[in-house]
Amino acid sequence: MDPGTAVAVGTLSAKVLSILWKYYKDVKDAQHDIKLLANELECSHDLMHQFGTMASGTSSLPMAASLYTKIEQALSELQTLDKKLNPGTGAKAMRRFGNRALKWPFAKGEVEQWVTRFQRLKETANLALNIDQTTLVINTNTNVTQLQQAQEAKEHDRQLAKLPTAIDAGYDSYHRQHETLCIENTRVELLQQQRGWGATHPKPLYWLSGMAGTGKSTIARTLAHHFHSIGTLGGNFFFSRSSGEANNAAKFVGTLARHLANVSPQLERLISKAIASHADVIRQGLRNQWRELILAPLSAYRSLDRPTLNFVIDALDECGSDDEIRLILQLCVEVKTVKEVDLGVFVTSRPEIAIRVGFDAIPDIIHQKLDLRDVPRRVVEQDLAVFVKRGLSRISQEQKMLEWPNDEDIHSLARLSDGLFIYAATACRYIADSDWDPKERLTEVLTAGSATGGNTAGLDSMYLQVLISSLINSRSEAEMVKLCDRFRQVVGTIIVLFDELSASELAGLLGMSRKAIELSFAKLHSVLNIPQDVESSIRLLHPSFRDFLLDDTRCTDRHLCVNASLKHEELAKNCLKIMSDALKRNMGHLTTPGSTPEDVDRQTLKTQLPKHLQYACQYWVDHLAGISTESEVKRELPDEGILAFFRQDFLHWLEAMSLMAKMSQAVVLITRLGDLLDSVSDDTTLRSIVEDTRRFILNNRGIIEKAPLQTYTAALVFSPNESFVRQHYVYQLPSWLIRSPPVEDRWGNCVQVLEHDDLDDRRKITFSNDGNYIASMLTTGEIVLWEAATGALHSTLDRYKPKVVAIKSLQKGILASMYADGAVRLSDHSTGVLFRTLEPPVKDCQLVPDVPPSPQPIPSLSILPGGDLLVLSQNGHSWIWNWESNAWSEPPVTGIPIQLVYGCLSNGLLVALIGQNNTDLLDLCLLNLSTRQIQTIEANKIGVWEPVAISSLDIIAWQAEDGAVELLDTKDLSRTKLKGHSKCSVSALTFSPDGSMLISGYYDRALISWDLSTQSRCLVDSSAFMINSIAFSPDNKQMATLMSELVKLYRFPVRDMSTFQDNQSGESLHISVSPNGKQIAAGPRPNGMIQIYDTENGELKHTLSGISLYNCIIAFSPNNELIASTSYNASLLVWDLRTGAVNWTISGGQPQFSLRFSPDGRYLVSGGDRGAIVVVDAKSGKIIHILKITTQAASVQFSSNGQRIACFTDRAKVRADASARAIGVWDFITGELVHEIGTSAINGGSKFVSVKATMSPNGRYLAYSFIHGLDEPVVIYDIESKQQLDFPIAPGPTMRSLVFSKDSKSVVTSTRGGGIKQWDLETARLIGVCPLDVWPRWLSFTKTGKHYLEFENGHIPIHPIEGDLSNQPSRHLTHWWYDEMAYWFMEGTRRMLWVPPAYRPDIFNDDSLAHHDGLFVFSNSNGIHYFKFNQGEEVTDPHEHGGNH
């Protein structure tokens, strides 16, 4: 049926209704029946109209056939009714006689029948509709569920795609498709045993070892294939020395996690959730990755039974370094902690020392092992015979050679292989060459020699035979030389590469045609894995071929032997040339300077950074290092390539390394290059350049890693003036940054700054005993480890354990951690793998770390001279762990109130703080544990949080009363004072490990190094934050300091930074910018001064004195001629900005909290604590009005015409009457109170409430919110009519600010969680929103128009809700603001410039940031910092550079 039928029913029912109402008017005696029928028809009309809309509208819904039937039936009934109601004479008679022609056509009772018929139709239609709707809901729910599932699957794929995976590392990867499994009837008993292990895991770890060529990888592939076929393969990783992805552990965990996610939808969900929840984990160390991506998902897995899973790890010996191998083994041990899954790990490797030692350290109960050398020789020869027979039989079938080979030949070749499957495999491939007679080739092999004797002679003979046959035999001398040269060029490259490349990629690296590359190894299928796909990597069939070619004692033909040093030289030059030709700015086509590597399209990255270019970027230094020290090329290369690289491509290279997620490797490469040049180069210029670039990387690694294009912005902007990198790349600075802060001329002593939001700066920082890692505690109670060399976050330890309260580095790379439950856990410092747990000394021991200035004992760990561990608990009790007895003992010092143990002298005496814990100052003492004798060093002088240090030479240091550092030599009890810095208190102390230096940190943020032999001091650094802890590396070469959310790293020797500028006062200043943006006021200084600076050149214009240091408030007049100041001391001062002279002063009264000039600048208003608001003539100082108030005047506000003044408190006491005035409005001319709002208007709430309020510019409206709960409404009050507007807006919890538009027609609210919203006053409708996630303290509309807001950190847009383009914000202006949470300068929603810690505004000073039309002024303890951005036009190209700075 046509959906228009329902519409026809509605139209006809309307017609019939019209007729009925004519009857109703004329036929008086039937009005009851007429009305009854009309009412029913009206219902039917409305219903049919809805059906018509549903069936024929733009968003029409499906309807059942039964519903259409009922609609058609209704149309038929209406047509019958229409005929009955129409007069017999028709329309003509109606026109002739009028309504007198109408006669009611129904007899008594007939109308009721019609009503019943229509009611039934309506009911059945509604029923059909309900059925339709129910079906639709079910279908919709099904579709929604399917859509949700599809979205979840898409999200899972998106998260899993972030995992760092090595595609080639899988046993079934495309590149390994031709690698065989164990053939039938070989390794039978061995595979049966290993399959049995994989089913039950009597021990969770299985190690299969064997010499090169014995078939370990084939066994591993076979097992992985078997586990996969029965559904128990959890993941696999096949290491390969020739693969850049699979020759190290960087992608080990990510690959296993990706495989594990394929096991089941539940594991896929758990792993993708882990990635989403811990976004940084993919860039962290293996320990964190293993915990978050493997152990945690497996531990959260739920199943009716306990499933079995296996990891297969092959060729562990081909992993990058011994440290990585050791770490992987330690991680594998942790599978025993997973209870929800029966997980086993199968590992194969050569019996290298590092791996043997690693397995020896693992208890036998956890692992089992098998060495293939222990397999009986007869079994191996049988397997080899089967292997050889199959290989030769295949040749026989392909070449149709009947009765060949015979059994004797098969067994001879098997015996000749001497247990090496690689020998047999190479021989079979050699014999299979279709250009030669297999019989002749087999004879050659059998007569060439044997591998017997445990050496490589037989294998060498086989390799040599393959190469001579392919390259030399039957060739002329000229052809032979040409072929061998090309062989060494191409195959020689393959064997020294640090990553595998395809033929086309090799062509790009070597500058050859792909055809020439392919011809070079066309006849070498017996030793190379040459895929048919030209884009797949070429690989060695076995690593032994590499060893053969590089050893001239094994490869005796000089035409074939490869000189590794010459190949590395050639490749180093090639890499430098490739980078020079291909690298450029913004290769990832990123849209903003703050875009992340994740924003890069994968195809774009593949196109812009092809594999051979990526290879050049990653390995050029490794090839330089591979050149033999005997070669002279290292002295030649700098002038040819390295200098050009640093002058032209260095920044492009850093960007590329960031896009490849290789920034830590970049640090290692430049450091390695520096070490290399130090040993071989006399070029001091080049060495200084490399050192400068190393400092540049270390200083900027963190931000370049997150935002590659900050290489050209933040990294350059904040580099020293004399830096080689800054000088050579100054043209790359962004043109939209007109002015940036002054920087030092040279690099400072701080090498790197590490940031973490959760650093606990009250706790200690420590180096590992090998100096490779830095450990610190988090406020969450965890331990964070950084790599000391690169600054990369290595791992976060103990996330699932009780809170850590103390840490201590022990010998042999052990980190001791004391927990809130009293236990001490010993773990590997580099991996975090737990070795042992020392249970709490007493039951129910609960330690909670105190916060200063509480004098409670601080939980601590100390090492006694014999190596025993001393623990001090929070209740002052102490225990000693004795390693020999493996037990805790309580030292015989019961009753001595030990509050803190600092350490131990070489003679066994403890340096401790002793005294009652209810006193602020305690005794610093030496305590003899054996005799209980106490020797007081300093009585009643030391606070529990004051630093004390002990040197390896038994010298104790602490702070003296006058700010000096006092030293006590405990051997002769001589004392020395180190003076000369300031009388500022010491915040941290530590000695260098050799005892030659003392490092002291001060509350004024200075870091001082003292040479104890001369008592001379050196200013190492001045920081933006107070230093709380200092640590040295064991070799005296590195130092780390801990402060608020920062760790700073230093390398010795350091230079004296005593050119300490005057504005580095140790305290940040309050900043205010004049209305015209030409001057700033900064203060107060410690001497009570405000300084006025010219913003154009930073020149000091005036110094204004007499200011209180507490709660100083500064205000400029609108005409920029006056500046006023008031403060807690109640003084009100006004200066003439043109001369700097004081115009007038008013002293006394209540402390002042607000200050504002009138719009015309003629008057000045100051609000006090309680008592009055003072209105003063700005020029003369004459008091105009004193307006009485009862609360603190947190802010005062003028109407735009200056006729009204409002006073607002920010916190009011709730009272039943109005005496506690929260808001007051006065007539400025008369001084009369116009309106007040007291706290009696507050319904409920706490004793005190927060008040947010503002007055409209026209002085008519008040907007306010009394915040004492969530979702408090905004009240709009009309002062003129004295009525509250109907404005039911509850914009969200935690109101921050309110502001009216300039035309007083709308109000903007800012709430935490609710965002910034604009509301129309007349309709209370939401009309605008801000697209940015900011939470301003105050807001105002800018002078540029109604669509931009100004707040304390800059300008932000507010976008109209409607789609009217005429109402959209202007796009011809830039609007900058500073994101104080992420430390970015933003242009709208675009991240443009990241600000490092030294240049950020002080987080503890709300007035340390000011701005005006693109000018931003920051203040911190390091000084005043200016930023000026292009405010004239929108930044259409954020990557544009070349501006003046």
Side-chain angles (χ1 to χ4, degrees):
M1 186 201 79
D2 187 346
T5 304
V7 179
V9 171
T11 302
L12 185 54
S13 63
K15 175 186 174 185
V16 172
L17 278 170
S18 177
I19 297 173
L20 279 173
W21 290 120
K22 290 178 182 178
Y23 274 102
Y24 184 82
K25 184 177 181 182
D26 191 60
V27 184
K28 303 297 183 181
D29 58 347
Q31 284 184 340
H32 175 74
D33 286 350
I34 295 170
K35 189 173 182 180
L36 187 67
L37 183 59
N39 287 339
E40 190 58 45
L41 277 178
E42 282 184 350
C43 294
S44 299
H45 173 270
D46 293 342
L47 184 64
M48 294 305 158
H49 178 74
Q50 294 176 13
F51 289 165
T53 303
M54 291 168 59
S56 60
T58 56
S59 57
S60 59
L61 299 174
M63 294 187 184
S66 60
L67 179 57
Y68 282 123
T69 300
K70 296 304 177 185
I71 295 174
E72 289 175 340
Q73 186 178 345
L75 179 62
S76 176
E77 296 284 7
L78 278 171
Q79 289 169 343
T80 302
L81 183 62
D82 181 40
K83 290 178 181 178
K84 292 265 304 177
L85 288 172
N86 269 318
T89 53
K92 187 176 181 180
M94 288 282 291
R95 288 193 299 271
R96 183 176 179 182
F97 299 106
N99 289 340
R100 289 175 298 165
L102 289 177
K103 181 181 180 181
W104 186 240
F106 296 111
K108 188 176 182 180
E110 196 173 353
V111 169
E112 294 180 357
Q113 294 176 0
W114 276 100
V115 169
T116 302
R117 289 161 71 179
F118 278 111
Q119 285 178 342
R120 288 176 178 173
L121 277 173
K122 183 175 66 175
E123 290 171 357
T124 53
N126 274 323
L127 178 62
L129 179 61
N130 287 337
I131 294 173
D132 275 359
Q133 290 176 334
T134 302
T135 304
L136 180 62
V137 168
I138 294 173
N139 291 337
T140 301
N141 287 341
T142 302
N143 292 336
V144 168
T145 301
Q146 293 174 346
L147 179 61
Q148 289 176 337
Q149 291 174 344
Q151 290 175 335
E152 287 177 1
K154 187 176 181 180
E155 176 61 15
H156 292 166
D157 290 341
R158 189 179 74 85
Q159 295 296 341
L160 293 173
K162 298 177 182 179
L163 288 171
T165 54
I167 299 175
D168 297 347
Y171 87 95
D172 55 352
S173 67
Y174 178 82
H175 299 286
R176 296 180 182 272
Q177 60 182 321
H178 299 300
E179 295 179 356
T180 61
L181 307 180
C182 293
I183 63 176
E184 189 176 359
N185 296 325
T186 63
R187 306 292 197 185
V188 176
E189 293 182 8
L190 184 62
L191 289 173
Q192 185 177 2
Q193 178 207 56
Q194 291 163 352
R195 287 167 180 164
W197 167 86
T200 60
H201 300 142
K203 298 179 181 179
L205 197 55
Y206 191 114
W207 178 34
L208 177 69
S209 65
M211 301 303 293
T214 53
K216 301 181 299 298
S217 294
T218 304
I219 294 172
R221 281 193 299 274
T222 305
L223 270 183
H225 176 76
H226 168 73
F227 292 148
H228 182 268
S229 67
I230 63 175
T232 64
L233 182 63
N236 66 101
F237 198 98
F238 280 58
F239 285 99
S240 173
R241 188 177 290 111
S242 60
S243 170
E245 288 189 330
N247 65 6
N248 60 79
K251 298 183 178 181
F252 171 72
V253 176
T255 303
L256 290 183
R258 191 67 182 88
H259 293 170
L260 193 61
N262 294 330
V263 171
S264 76
Q266 184 183 165
L267 282 172
E268 180 185 59
R269 183 172 62 256
L270 290 169
I271 293 173
S272 62
K273 182 180 178 182
I275 301 169
S277 301
H278 308 286
D280 288 340
V281 72
I282 59 176
R283 290 185 288 271
Q284 294 177 1
L286 293 185
R287 180 73 182 87
N288 276 18
Q289 291 185 25
W290 183 261
R291 182 183 60 202
E292 300 291 354
L293 302 177
I294 303 295
L295 297 184
L298 287 173
S299 297
Y301 185 79
R302 295 295 179 265
S303 177
L304 295 177
D305 55 359
R306 186 170 183 250
T308 297
L309 290 177
N310 293 282
F311 286 152
V312 177
I313 303 171
D314 179 58
L316 182 59
D317 55 285
E318 298 194 31
C319 182
S321 68
D322 289 350
D323 287 341
E324 288 185 338
I325 290 172
R326 182 165 61 97
L327 173 57
I328 288 174
L329 290 178
Q330 291 171 346
L331 296 179
C332 290
V333 171
E334 293 189 358
V335 302
K336 64 183 176 61
T337 64
V338 178
K339 306 302 181 185
E340 290 72 14
V341 175
D342 181 14
L343 181 61
V345 182
F346 182 84
V347 180
T348 74
S349 74
R350 298 184 190 183
E352 305 290 1
I353 294 177
I355 300 177
R356 290 204 314 269
V357 171
F359 273 104
D360 288 344
I362 300 173
D364 291 340
I365 195 173
I366 295 176
H367 82 285
Q368 66 185 83
K369 53 189 174 183
L370 174 67
D371 192 327
L372 288 176
R373 290 174 294 185
D374 296 334
V375 177
R377 186 177 182 85
R378 60 175 183 79
V379 175
V380 177
E381 286 192 0
Q382 280 182 329
D383 290 342
L384 277 167
V386 173
F387 180 86
V388 169
K389 182 176 182 180
R390 179 166 179 172
L392 296 182
S393 297
R394 185 171 61 250
I395 298 171
S396 173
Q397 293 173 3
E398 290 173 353
Q399 301 200 20
K400 299 179 180 179
M401 300 174 61
L402 302 179
E403 300 180 357
W404 183 88
N406 57 47
D407 289 344
E408 183 179 349
D409 290 340
I410 291 171
H411 287 287
S412 295
L413 184 54
R415 286 192 300 271
L416 193 62
S417 299
D418 195 31
L420 297 176
F421 279 81
I422 185 59
Y423 183 99
T426 304
C428 289
R429 291 190 186 94
Y430 176 71
I431 294 167
D433 192 333
S434 59
D435 292 342
W436 300 90
D437 182 354
K439 289 184 179 180
E440 293 180 2
R441 288 234 157 171
L442 176 58
T443 302
E444 290 178 16
V445 171
L446 294 178
T447 57
S450 169
T452 305
N455 53 41
T456 60
L459 191 59
D460 295 345
S461 176
M462 170 59 64
Y463 283 142
L464 194 61
Q465 188 173 353
V466 168
L467 296 179
I468 290 174
S469 174
S470 301
L471 302 172
I472 296 178
N473 286 350
S474 304
R475 311 283 187 185
S476 68
E477 180 70 17
E479 289 176 332
M480 183 268 293
V481 171
K482 185 176 182 179
L483 286 176
C484 289
D485 286 346
R486 192 169 63 188
F487 166 81
R488 290 195 305 273
Q489 184 179 13
V490 177
V491 178
T493 295
I494 294 173
I495 65 173
V496 300
L497 285 178
F498 297 100
D499 194 3
E500 297 170 352
L501 298 176
S502 66
S504 59
E505 292 159 355
L506 274 171
L509 182 65
L510 296 177
M512 299 173 61
S513 69
R514 194 178 75 191
K515 185 65 176 178
I517 296 291
E518 292 170 344
L519 288 173
S520 301
F521 44 67
K523 297 293 184 180
L524 299 176
H525 287 264
S526 54
V527 290
L528 296 178
N529 184 348
I530 306 170
Q532 294 181 348
D533 179 10
V534 295
E535 298 304 322
S536 296
S537 300
I538 300 162
R539 305 170 59 214
L540 303 180
L541 283 172
H542 198 269
S544 58
F545 185 54
R546 175 192 297 106
D547 301 335
F548 164 74
L549 286 178
L550 294 178
D551 189 341
D552 57 7
T553 64
R554 295 176 59 186
C555 180
T556 54
D557 192 312
R558 63 180 180 83
H559 296 96
L560 301 174
C561 189
V562 176
N563 185 312
S565 180
L566 293 178
K567 286 309 302 177
H568 284 301
E569 173 193 345
E570 176 188 334
L571 290 173
K573 291 181 178 179
N574 285 3
C575 288
L576 289 168
K577 184 178 186 306
I578 289 168
M579 290 190 291
S580 176
D581 293 341
L583 291 180
K584 60 183 179 180
R585 179 166 173 156
N586 197 11
M587 289 171 288
H589 295 171
L590 294 169
T591 57
T592 70
S595 298
T596 67
E598 289 75 18
D599 297 329
V600 179
D601 177 71
R602 287 177 176 265
Q603 186 57 43
T604 299
L605 186 63
K606 184 177 180 181
T607 302
Q608 296 296 315
L609 278 171
K611 182 68 179 293
H612 72 281
L613 177 56
Q614 292 190 34
Y615 181 91
C617 290
Q618 292 182 69
Y619 299 110
W620 64 280
V621 175
D622 295 293
H623 285 300
L624 276 176
I627 303 172
S628 172
T629 54
E630 287 78 19
S631 172
E632 291 297 321
V633 70
K634 285 184 181 177
R635 299 181 184 273
E636 300 171 2
L637 264 181
D639 293 336
E640 297 177 6
I642 300 178
L643 275 174
F645 166 79
F646 284 118
R647 286 172 174 161
Q648 300 170 17
D649 305 306
F650 175 64
L651 293 190
H652 302 151
W653 175 70
L654 285 182
E655 179 196 336
M657 295 296 279
S658 174
L659 292 173
M660 293 185 289
K662 301 290 184 182
M663 278 305 297
S664 291
Q665 184 180 351
V667 176
V668 173
L669 289 177
I670 296 300
T671 301
R672 187 178 187 189
L673 177 62
D675 295 341
L676 182 65
L677 292 175
D678 286 343
S679 64
V680 301
S681 175
D682 295 328
D683 190 336
T684 56
T685 300
L686 178 62
R687 287 160 60 183
S688 67
I689 289 173
V690 173
E691 175 59 19
D692 183 80
T693 58
R694 186 183 72 86
R695 293 296 303 271
F696 185 88
I697 296 179
L698 286 171
N699 201 59
N700 299 289
R701 181 199 61 80
I703 186 56
I704 296 176
E705 187 172 62
K706 295 176 181 177
L709 295 183
Q710 289 299 298
T711 305
Y712 312 98
T713 50
L716 273 182
V717 166
F718 299 107
S719 290
N721 292 317
E722 296 178 6
S723 164
F724 166 87
V725 179
R726 184 184 179 102
Q727 290 182 347
H728 277 76
Y729 293 94
V730 67
Y731 66 92
Q732 295 276 13
L733 285 167
S735 59
W736 39 261
L737 180 61
I738 300 172
R739 181 181 179 186
S740 57
V743 294
E744 297 288 342
D745 289 334
R746 298 163 58 192
W747 292 106
N749 292 317
C750 177
V751 174
Q752 196 167 13
V753 179
L754 314 177
E755 295 193 72
H756 198 295
D757 292 340
D758 296 322
L759 272 180
D760 188 345
D761 57 8
R762 303 164 304 171
R763 302 296 157 192
K764 298 298 182 183
I765 190 170
T766 183
F767 276 87
S768 61
N769 283 95
D770 57 8
N772 291 334
Y773 300 97
I774 303 165
S776 186
M777 294 163 57
L778 304 180
T779 55
T780 56
E782 302 158 275
I783 302 170
V784 64
L785 293 181
W786 283 282
E787 295 176 1
T790 66
L793 180 62
H794 180 70
S795 58
T796 304
L797 312 180
D798 302 300
R799 180 164 293 171
Y800 308 116
K801 296 182 174 71
K803 190 169 184 176
V804 180
V805 296
I807 57 175
K808 186 75 174 179
S809 289
L810 308 182
Q811 296 297 321
K812 300 180 180 179
I814 297 175
L815 179 68
S817 310
M818 186 161 66
Y819 292 78
D821 62 358
V824 176
R825 293 176 174 88
L826 308 177
S827 55
D828 185 281
H829 210 314
S830 61
T831 67
V833 174
L834 182 66
F835 290 146
R836 185 174 184 182
T837 298
L838 311 182
E839 295 303 326
V842 295
K843 291 183 178 180
D844 301 323
C845 180
Q846 291 297 320
L847 305 179
V848 181
D850 285 322
V851 295
S854 170
Q856 295 293 323
I858 304 171
S860 61
L861 291 169
S862 303
I863 305 172
L864 299 179
D868 291 342
L869 195 62
L870 174 69
V871 168
L872 179 71
S873 76
Q874 193 177 21
N875 58 13
H877 289 208
S878 54
W879 293 273
I880 295 176
W881 176 266
N882 186 278
W883 297 106
E884 293 184 2
S885 62
N886 282 326
W888 292 105
S889 63
E890 194 165 0
V893 291
T894 305
I896 299 177
I898 302 175
Q899 301 302 317
L900 181 59
V901 174
Y902 295 106
C904 188
L905 301 179
S906 59
N907 59 10
L909 296 180
L910 291 183
V911 181
L913 206 57
I914 296 176
Q916 298 301 322
N917 60 15
N918 57 357
T919 58
D920 292 334
L921 297 177
L922 305 171
D923 299 339
L924 182 63
C925 302
L926 297 179
L927 175 61
N928 191 315
L929 291 179
S930 302
T931 66
R932 300 183 60 188
Q933 289 182 338
I934 299 175
Q935 179 182 352
T936 301
I937 299 173
E938 194 79 1
N940 299 321
K941 294 288 181 69
I942 307 295
V944 72
W945 285 95
E946 293 181 15
V948 173
I950 308 169
S951 81
S952 58
L953 304 178
D954 289 344
I955 298 175
I956 305 173
W958 68 94
Q959 176 183 294
E961 287 183 340
D962 56 359
V965 177
E966 188 152 2
L967 305 179
L968 171 68
D969 189 330
T970 59
K971 294 178 181 178
D972 59 13
L973 299 181
S974 61
R975 295 193 179 212
T976 306
K977 276 193 176 183
L978 303 177
K979 301 179 180 180
H981 173 60
S982 71
K983 293 186 178 181
C984 185
S985 297
V986 178
S987 60
L989 282 172
T990 196
F991 285 95
S992 61
D994 62 3
S996 63
M997 283 187 295
L998 175 69
I999 308 294
S1000 55
Y1002 294 83
Y1003 278 82
D1004 65 356
R1005 280 78 161 174
L1007 183 67
I1008 303 292
S1009 169
W1010 304 88
D1011 185 325
L1012 297 183
S1013 63
T1014 63
Q1015 297 186 22
S1016 60
R1017 69 183 183 94
C1018 168
L1019 178 64
V1020 178
D1021 197 7
S1022 58
S1023 300
F1025 303 99
M1026 184 182 69
I1027 299 163
N1028 295 299
S1029 178
I1030 307 170
F1032 263 96
S1033 62
D1035 61 2
N1036 291 278
K1037 293 181 179 180
Q1038 298 180 84
M1039 180 177 70
T1041 61
L1042 173 66
M1043 57 200 70
S1044 179
E1045 299 183 356
L1046 300 177
V1047 171
K1048 299 181 75 171
L1049 303 184
Y1050 304 83
R1051 291 182 184 273
F1052 284 89
V1054 296
R1055 63 186 177 92
D1056 191 356
M1057 304 290 290
S1058 290
T1059 54
F1060 217 23
Q1061 298 181 3
D1062 291 339
N1063 63 351
Q1064 292 175 316
S1065 61
E1067 298 292 338
S1068 65
L1069 304 173
H1070 295 261
I1071 299 294
S1072 181
V1073 181
S1074 63
N1076 61 9
K1078 294 183 177 181
Q1079 294 175 309
I1080 67 164
R1085 296 281 182 186
N1087 55 7
M1089 295 187 300
I1090 294 176
Q1091 293 178 317
I1092 308 299
Y1093 294 91
D1094 187 309
T1095 57
E1096 289 296 323
N1097 53 29
E1099 178 184 348
L1100 176 64
K1101 303 292 290 184
H1102 304 295
T1103 298
L1104 316 178
S1105 59
I1107 309 300
S1108 169
L1109 300 182
Y1110 181 67
N1111 197 35
C1112 176
I1113 304 170
I1114 301 170
F1116 284 92
S1117 64
N1119 60 8
N1120 305 284
E1121 294 180 357
L1122 302 176
I1123 184 171
S1125 171
T1126 189
S1127 59
Y1128 194 78
N1129 69 0
S1131 295
L1132 181 59
L1133 297 91
V1134 172
W1135 293 267
D1136 188 320
L1137 275 176
R1138 293 166 294 186
T1139 64
V1142 176
N1143 276 6
W1144 51 264
T1145 302
I1146 298 177
S1147 302
Q1150 294 290 332
Q1152 300 296 293
F1153 293 96
S1154 55
L1155 186 65
R1156 179 166 294 197
F1157 280 91
S1158 61
D1160 59 8
R1162 295 174 57 192
Y1163 303 100
L1164 183 64
V1165 178
S1166 175
D1169 186 17
R1170 278 180 175 84
I1173 298 174
V1174 180
V1175 182
V1176 184
D1177 184 286
K1179 287 189 176 181
S1180 66
K1182 179 183 177 181
I1183 296 177
I1184 306 299
H1185 297 300
I1186 297 179
L1187 311 177
K1188 298 297 182 181
I1189 59 174
T1190 58
T1191 57
Q1192 182 187 103
S1195 64
V1196 290
Q1197 180 183 349
F1198 280 93
S1199 60
S1200 58
N1201 58 12
Q1203 294 181 358
R1204 283 183 176 167
I1205 183 171
C1207 168
F1208 310 106
T1209 185
D1210 61 355
R1211 189 166 180 261
K1213 185 176 181 180
V1214 178
R1215 298 179 60 163
D1217 56 26
S1219 62
R1221 181 181 299 140
I1223 302 170
V1225 180
W1226 288 265
D1227 184 297
F1228 183 74
I1229 304 299
T1230 65
E1232 294 181 357
L1233 182 66
V1234 176
H1235 185 71
E1236 67 175 335
I1237 298 174
T1239 54
S1240 61
I1242 304 171
N1243 296 318
S1246 58
K1247 185 177 180 180
F1248 286 92
V1249 297
S1250 177
V1251 181
K1252 297 298 178 184
T1254 187
M1255 182 172 62
S1256 62
N1258 63 10
R1260 178 172 180 173
Y1261 301 107
L1262 288 172
Y1264 62 89
S1265 178
F1266 292 145
I1267 304 169
H1268 53 86
L1270 298 180
D1271 298 317
E1272 297 298 337
V1274 175
V1275 176
I1276 306 296
Y1277 188 85
D1278 188 330
I1279 300 173
E1280 300 293 337
S1281 65
K1282 299 190 183 301
Q1283 291 182 348
Q1284 180 176 319
L1285 301 188
D1286 184 13
F1287 197 72
I1289 295 176
T1294 321
M1295 174 73 69
R1296 280 285 273 188
S1297 56
L1298 288 164
V1299 63
F1300 282 95
S1301 60
K1302 291 184 179 299
D1303 58 10
S1304 300
K1305 292 182 179 180
S1306 64
V1307 65
V1308 174
T1309 61
S1310 165
T1311 62
R1312 186 172 190 175
I1316 299 174
K1317 298 176 180 178
Q1318 184 177 15
W1319 311 83
D1320 183 85
L1321 280 185
E1322 183 178 351
T1323 64
R1325 182 171 58 89
L1326 181 66
I1327 61 173
V1329 295
C1330 176
L1332 306 175
D1333 184 19
V1334 292
W1335 192 34
R1337 294 190 304 275
W1338 58 265
L1339 285 168
S1340 67
F1341 279 86
T1342 67
K1343 62 183 181 181
T1344 57
K1346 62 182 180 179
H1347 296 306
Y1348 288 93
L1349 295 170
E1350 182 177 4
F1351 75 119
E1352 64 268 19
N1353 286 7
H1355 290 181
I1356 51 178
I1358 186 160
H1359 291 169
I1361 297 295
E1362 304 297 337
D1364 184 1
L1365 293 178
S1366 64
N1367 288 329
Q1368 293 297 319
S1370 166
R1371 299 304 302 160
H1372 68 279
L1373 294 177
T1374 56
H1375 288 269
W1376 297 86
W1377 60 285
Y1378 176 66
D1379 185 346
E1380 61 188 347
M1381 301 303 294
Y1383 317 121
W1384 282 92
F1385 274 112
M1386 308 288 294
E1387 197 276 310
T1389 57
R1390 299 188 289 187
R1391 299 191 307 175
M1392 303 294 282
L1393 177 69
W1394 179 80
V1395 182
Y1399 296 90
R1400 295 171 191 163
D1402 190 339
I1403 60 174
F1404 302 109
N1405 177 3
D1406 288 343
D1407 297 320
S1408 61
L1409 182 159
H1411 63 90
H1412 180 275
D1413 286 344
L1415 171 70
F1416 290 80
V1417 185
F1418 292 174
S1419 169
N1420 60 27
S1421 60
N1422 285 340
I1424 300 173
H1425 312 291
Y1426 297 87
F1427 299 86
K1428 178 69 175 177
F1429 297 93
N1430 183 355
Q1431 189 78 351
E1433 296 182 358
E1434 181 187 8
V1435 180
T1436 55
D1437 180 9
H1439 309 301
E1440 186 179 353
H1441 52 86
N1444 296 322
H1445 295 269

